[in-house]
């Protein structure tokens, strides 16, 4: 298939890009036929793989759709803000909420519902969204420019033999391909490597957010209430914190974000989240409530200096795939939408000029630099890196950065990729850390939580978690790091089981919620996450 524009990923960035293209095409007829624009989405529906906290700054959405407040599925305007520091048994409320965590004018949203709504708008505008279709491979022309993507084969069995319903994937060619795959997109990762797009950048650092949606007794937590927590159960050298966002109908979104640059290879983010809920402050809040939904997602927290180049010949990078996230404000949706709009303007102008060369697409960078998105990210350019050496030094550096416009002590703080920061088992106290014993009311094991994500994959399909050398898992990792995959995966996909008299790696891929933590945090970088057959994965609702 030949298209003018191919957008890979129907998240806020990809959908904003599509909508903006439609707006530009309507305003300047004759440049772009919207039948030649396609969006690919690997989930079974638009929104099925979208999850966030989320408190949304509406700035970008207002630019895209000025009347959004009349019809967007906004849950609640933010009514109050609070920040707490937790110790093991107590909480202290900050007398003043730090300005960057103030949320007047912002909205609590379900990203999943917002995505579905944006998807409908895109389709109403005349752009086709191909759901259950995953991009598997970046295609290049002879000159090395991106030419499009190859989609997934359907109906292959676990040994890659065709089943009765076999349908080969397609090569989708486009003048410009926009990568909007979300965090650690498998094609974006390939493109970053093939084209050296992150050569000049700090290594990208990530965080994992583990989330549950609860229904609470009426009146327990106000819709629009926003609370963040710091401290317990995370150690002082760990980056992260909790959130509690009040939604309509007595629902509450809660979760824990953990920087994927912790040192203890036996640390388990899902277990930490369950432990967090046992704090008296959370226990009181959740008592009498019930778990409704579960999900997990990684976010790119590296900031400005970790962003890749945003374009190359034939391609642009938007949203989480381009590192558009403000980790100080804990927000990325507005930046994703803005990056999609900037990409759309660049692509439309290139098509209008009949020039989609690498030089022309590089204009995207200049538009970004002239935008408020750049201004916002530049002010927090060193924020995450300030916490490389723990909370206390982090607060000092972050404070200094606030009074120096984001600079701090150094013009550019360095960073280290998270998977390089593990200490070996021999360098940490012996034995397993204590784990929460799930009670099935307040705390849950991973398998129960996965059930609430509605994750589903056809069991008889080629593996989508590629371990390049299981000998390393079974012999070396077991001794050096204790197989951290068992702990960092929030969906119990990786297990070490007794087989033939020794412990061996075993996978449960159908549990996978597509968070990509394994691709990021394996200490030997031998796990590659690739999309399963389109349609597989979680089926998020209201997350
Ligand atoms: Fe996330 Fe990997 Fe586990 Fe899937 S297998 S849920 S991508 S860590």
């Amino acid at each position: 298939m030949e298209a003018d524009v191919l957008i890979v990923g129907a998240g806020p960035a990809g959908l904003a890009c599509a909508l903006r293209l439609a707006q530009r095409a309507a305003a300047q007829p004759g440049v772009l036929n919207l039948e030649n624009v396609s969006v690919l989405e690997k989930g079974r529906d638009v929104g099925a793989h979208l999850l966030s906290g989320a408190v949304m700054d509406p700035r970008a959405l207002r630019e895209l759709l000025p009347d959004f407040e009349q019809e967007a599925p906004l849950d609640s305007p933010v009514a109050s803000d609070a920040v707490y520091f937790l110790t093991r048994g107590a909480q202290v409320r900050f007398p003043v909420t730090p300005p960057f965590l103030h949320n007047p004018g912002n909205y609590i949203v379900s990203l999943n519902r917002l995505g579905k709504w944006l998807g409908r708008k895109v389709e109403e505008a005349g752009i086709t969204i191909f759901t259950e279709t995953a991009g598997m491979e970046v295609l290049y022309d002879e000159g090395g420019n991106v030419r499009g993507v190859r989609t997934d084969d359907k109906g292959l069995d676990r040994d890659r033999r065709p089943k009765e319903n076999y349908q080969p994937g397609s090569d989708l060619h486009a003048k410009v391909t926009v990568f909007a795959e979300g965090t650690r997109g498998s094609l974006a990762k390939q493109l970053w490597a093939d084209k050296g797009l992150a050569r000049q950048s700090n290594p990208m650092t990530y965080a994992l957010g583990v989330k549950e949606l609860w229904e609470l007794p009426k009146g327990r937590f106000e819709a629009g209430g926003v609370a963040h927590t710091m401290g317990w159960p995370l150690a002082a050298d760990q980056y992260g914190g909790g959130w509690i966002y009040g939604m309509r109908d007595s629902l509450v979104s809660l979760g824990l974000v953990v920087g994927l640059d912790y040192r203890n290879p036996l640390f388990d983010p899902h277990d930490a989240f369950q432990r967090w809920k046992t704090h008296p402050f959370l226990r009181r809040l959740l008592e009498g409530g019930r778990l409704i939904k579960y999900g997990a997602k990684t976010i790119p927290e590296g900031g400005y200096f970790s962003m890749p180049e945003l374009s190359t010949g034939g391609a642009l990078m938007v949203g989480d795939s381009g590192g558009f996230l403000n980790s100080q404000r804990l927000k990325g949706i507005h930046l994703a939408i803005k990056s999609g709009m900037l990409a759309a303007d660049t692509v439309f102008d290139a098509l209008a000029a009949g020039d989609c060369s690498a030089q022309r697409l590089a204009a995207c960078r200049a538009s970004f630099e002239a935008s408020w998105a750049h201004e916002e990210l530049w002010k927090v350019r060193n924020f995450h890196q300030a916490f490389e050496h723990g909370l206390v030094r982090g607060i000092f550096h972050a404070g200094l950065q606030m009074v120096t416009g984001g600079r701090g002590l150094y013009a550019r703080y360095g960073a280290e990729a998270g998977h390089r920061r593990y200490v070996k088992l021999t360098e940490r106290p012996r034995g397993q850390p204590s784990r929460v014993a799930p009670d099935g009311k307040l705390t849950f094991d991973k398998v129960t939580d996965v059930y609430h994500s509605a994750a589903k994959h056809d069991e008889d399909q080629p593996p989508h978690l590629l371990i390049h050398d299981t000998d390393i898992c079974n012999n070396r990792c077991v001794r050096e790091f204790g197989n951290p995959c068992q702990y960092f995966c929030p969906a119990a996909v990786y297990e070490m089981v007794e087989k033939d008299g020794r412990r061996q790696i075993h996978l449960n891929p159908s549990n996978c919620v597509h968070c990509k933590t394994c691709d990021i945090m394996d200490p030997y970088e031998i796990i590659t996450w690739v999309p399963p057959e389109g349609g597989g994965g979680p089926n998020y609702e209201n997350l």
Side-chain angles (χ1 to χ4, degrees), residues 464-465 488-494 511-519 529:
H464 78 277
L465 299 155
F488 59 57
C489 172
V493 170
Y494 298 89
N511 284 359
C512 179
V513 294
H514 297 201
C515 72
K516 323 280 179 67
T517 306
C518 50
D519 196 292
W529 186 97

Side-chain angles (χ1 to χ4, degrees), residues 356-380:
C356 292
S357 63
Q359 289 78 1
R360 181 87 205 190
L361 295 182
C364 192
R365 178 82 206 179
S367 320
F368 166 55
E369 285 179 4
S371 74
W372 56 256
H374 182 274
E375 193 183 327
E376 179 176 333
L377 287 171
W378 181 249
K379 273 192 214 150
V380 294

